[in-house]
Amino acid sequence: MASSNSDYTEPTEEVVEPAASHPPKHSIFRSVPFQIAVACGVSFTAPGMWDALGGLGAGGAAEPYAVSAANALVYGLFSIVCVAAGAINNRIGLPYGLALGAIGYPLYGAGLYTNNISATTWFMLFGSALCGISAGFFWAAEAAIIIGYPSPKDRAFYLAIWQTAKAAGPIVGGAINLGLNAQRSTAGSVGSATYIVFIAIMCLGLPVALCLSPASKVWRKDGTLVVVRKEATWRAEFRAVGQLLASRRVLLLLPAFFISYFYNGFVSTWLTKYFTVRARAFSSFFTNFAGIFSSFLVAALLDRQKIHIRTRGRIAFTAIVVILIGTWIWASVLQKRFYDESPPPVFDWFKGGFGSAYALVFFWTFGGQAFQQFLYWLVGQYATDLSSLSHHTGILRGLEALGQTVAWAMQSEGNANHFVSIGLNFGITILCIPFTWIVLSELDHTHEVKVTEIEVVAEGVHTKQNEDTDASV
């Protein structure tokens, strides 16, 4: 009896240990760095070249007003489409949203080209309209990719990489423009060859966008998955966006969203009114280094896991608003001086008065890009999955575009008082501080739902075991 008991062993279920313990091998083309490289490539070729044209001051034109009206049209359509695109991209997939977003930028460049050589305003407005629609899909998709594909602890770093790629477009474009226009020491429009080079580069955005992987196939180094949750119907998808837009947290952040890029329209007019062609070409090349520098400074702070997440956010936000408020005080002093001079000054590079007037442009970009990166990081911490993030970024970019619509519309009037733009930028920046601070005060941790590959594999093994057991019964 004892012998029989000692020989007996309980039957155990078969467990496939290796499958449950080790995630599968992956292709580098499905990795997060590769996806970020694709998104950065599109950002370089499409909006990067768009920013390069904007860096010329009024898209390189001699007079800023028609181009300012065209840009107001771009951002007006952009603001409407972008909010809806957060839901649409979630349904069709981010690769298709990114591809749709790359189509419109070459048409915008072509419109500026025809306006430059023959004053064909209608085609410039047509290209601007298509670019605005296309850009709505682009920015909703790309922001979701840059924030949602990486793990939360790496997001600020990849945001800085993205900002660098976006700035690299204007830097390369500015170098091209500087080479083509370095001898032009007067005010006026840039040469037509500048536009042709930019348009050719813009056309590369679509084929690059098609290399992006769907979120479900992307793998992260830490073993977590990109969680995608689609609503059951299109109506439910749009309803989810509406509910998010009406939520307390997003309503508190609306002033910050609105003002984050509001300065851009005024900077363009400032460059066109007070700088020569080659000084503007220098600005389109060099100013973007300010955005790169500030992006990595902010990333180093926001990704520093040893500091509590709320403290990181508060330090970054405080530093950014101090810089921005300082620039608008500085702008008020300079603008008063320029209005008092007759005729108004036009600064050539590295000549009398250029340093103080151009340094303002540099710090506008320094603070503005840091603010934008901070807002992306902030909404990323509150998003629960890629679908939620797509909705958040669509709203963020849509409200940001609405601000730019107003800013560019204000610059489309030839006799616009610049103190109005300066006052609005200063006032809304002050207004956003207490509301953003409330949202920061409630940030205790990242809200992303974490699912690892090992958990998914283990669940698959468990499910298979249950099916085998059911089949054997």
Side-chain angles (χ1 to χ4, degrees):
M1 189 74 173
S3 174
S4 63
N5 285 340
S6 63
D7 291 340
Y8 174 77
T9 57
E10 277 190 40
T12 57
E13 292 184 2
E14 181 182 357
V15 178
V16 185
E17 189 65 28
S21 300
H22 304 289
K25 293 183 178 180
H26 301 285
S27 166
I28 190 174
F29 299 109
R30 303 294 190 189
S31 66
V32 170
F34 184 81
Q35 309 314 310
I36 300 301
V38 170
C40 288
V42 184
S43 186
F44 171 82
T45 57
M49 291 299 112
W50 193 94
D51 282 345
L53 287 173
L56 303 178
E63 295 295 334
Y65 314 116
V67 177
S68 293
N71 285 338
L73 179 61
V74 169
Y75 285 113
L77 290 169
F78 177 1
S79 64
I80 297 170
V81 173
C82 196
V83 176
I88 297 171
N89 288 342
N90 195 45
R91 299 288 298 181
I92 66 176
L94 292 178
Y96 293 109
L98 190 66
L100 283 173
I103 293 173
Y105 286 93
L107 296 173
Y108 173 84
L112 290 184
Y113 171 74
T114 57
N115 183 63
N116 181 267
I117 62 174
S118 60
T120 310
T121 306
W122 75 265
F123 186 70
M124 179 178 67
L125 295 175
F126 174 73
S128 298
L130 291 181
C131 182
I133 295 170
S134 180
F137 286 95
F138 177 85
W139 286 112
E142 187 173 58
I145 293 163
I146 298 298
I147 307 173
Y149 277 23
S151 302
K153 63 183 179 62
D154 298 325
R155 283 176 178 166
F157 171 74
Y158 281 115
L159 277 167
I161 295 293
W162 170 53
Q163 293 280 28
T164 300
K166 191 160 71 77
I171 288 171
V172 173
I176 295 169
N177 174 47
L178 191 58
L180 294 173
N181 297 285
Q183 303 305 316
R184 306 187 64 186
S185 59
T186 60
S189 61
V190 303
S192 58
T194 307
Y195 294 98
I196 295 174
V197 175
F198 286 177
I199 293 168
I201 298 174
M202 284 176 168
C203 289
L204 299 175
L206 178 59
V208 175
L210 296 175
C211 297
L212 186 76
S213 296
S216 59
K217 297 183 178 180
V218 175
W219 61 276
R220 293 168 170 172
K221 187 170 60 176
D222 63 0
T224 59
L225 297 176
V226 181
V227 179
V228 181
R229 182 184 57 82
K230 296 182 181 179
E231 298 293 340
T233 63
W234 282 91
R235 175 178 291 185
E237 198 77 54
F238 286 113
R239 186 185 299 117
V241 174
Q243 290 172 347
L244 179 62
L245 183 57
S247 67
R248 172 180 172 273
R249 184 184 304 126
V250 170
L251 289 176
L252 287 170
L253 289 173
L254 290 186
F257 292 171
F258 183 86
I259 199 61
S260 60
Y261 239 167
F262 196 85
Y263 71 94
N264 207 30
F266 182 68
V267 172
S268 180
T269 299
W270 179 274
L271 285 165
T272 309
K273 292 285 289 183
Y274 300 122
F275 293 84
T276 65
V277 169
R278 66 182 181 183
R280 285 152 55 189
F282 169 80
S283 175
S284 71
F285 168 71
F286 187 73
T287 303
N288 296 285
F289 287 104
I292 294 174
F293 184 47
S294 66
S295 294
F296 278 99
L297 280 178
V298 171
L301 170 62
L302 295 179
D303 278 345
R304 196 168 183 82
Q305 303 300 313
K306 293 181 179 180
I307 304 175
H308 190 272
I309 189 170
R310 185 191 302 128
T311 305
R312 283 179 264 154
R314 284 177 169 176
I315 293 172
F317 181 61
T318 301
I320 290 165
V321 295
V322 166
I323 292 170
L324 291 176
I325 290 171
T327 61
W328 294 113
I329 295 173
W330 187 353
S332 300
V333 174
L334 290 182
Q335 189 62 71
K336 176 65 166 62
R337 185 189 306 166
F338 296 165
Y339 273 156
D340 289 343
E341 293 186 28
S342 183
V346 177
F347 299 109
D348 196 14
W349 58 7
F350 307 116
K351 294 186 178 178
F354 172 81
S356 62
Y358 169 71
L360 185 58
V361 177
F362 185 89
F363 282 103
W364 270 327
T365 303
F366 184 94
Q369 293 298 326
F371 194 25
Q372 187 181 51
Q373 180 165 335
F374 165 78
L375 290 175
Y376 280 139
W377 173 85
L378 182 58
V379 299
Q381 302 309 314
Y382 279 110
T384 56
D385 51 46
L386 188 65
S387 303
S388 169
L389 187 55
S390 183
H391 296 165
H392 274 87
T393 55
I395 293 172
L396 165 57
R397 292 297 305 192
L399 267 294
E400 178 189 281
L402 179 62
Q404 292 193 75
T405 304
V406 176
W408 283 106
M410 290 172 61
Q411 305 308 314
S412 65
E413 295 293 330
N415 60 349
N417 188 328
H418 292 177
F419 280 116
V420 175
S421 294
I422 293 171
L424 280 174
N425 275 280
F426 181 87
I428 301 176
T429 300
I430 294 293
L431 176 66
C432 82
I433 293 174
F435 301 117
T436 307
W437 196 264
I438 292 172
V439 176
L440 279 172
S441 298
E442 297 172 351
L443 181 62
D444 285 324
H445 56 84
T446 182
H447 289 234
E448 182 180 85
V449 175
K450 290 187 178 181
V451 178
T452 66
E453 290 179 298
I454 291 178
E455 290 173 346
V456 172
V457 172
E459 179 65 25
V461 171
H462 181 68
T463 301
K464 186 176 185 307
Q465 289 172 348
N466 289 340
E467 289 174 354
D468 292 342
T469 302
D470 292 340
S472 64
V473 172

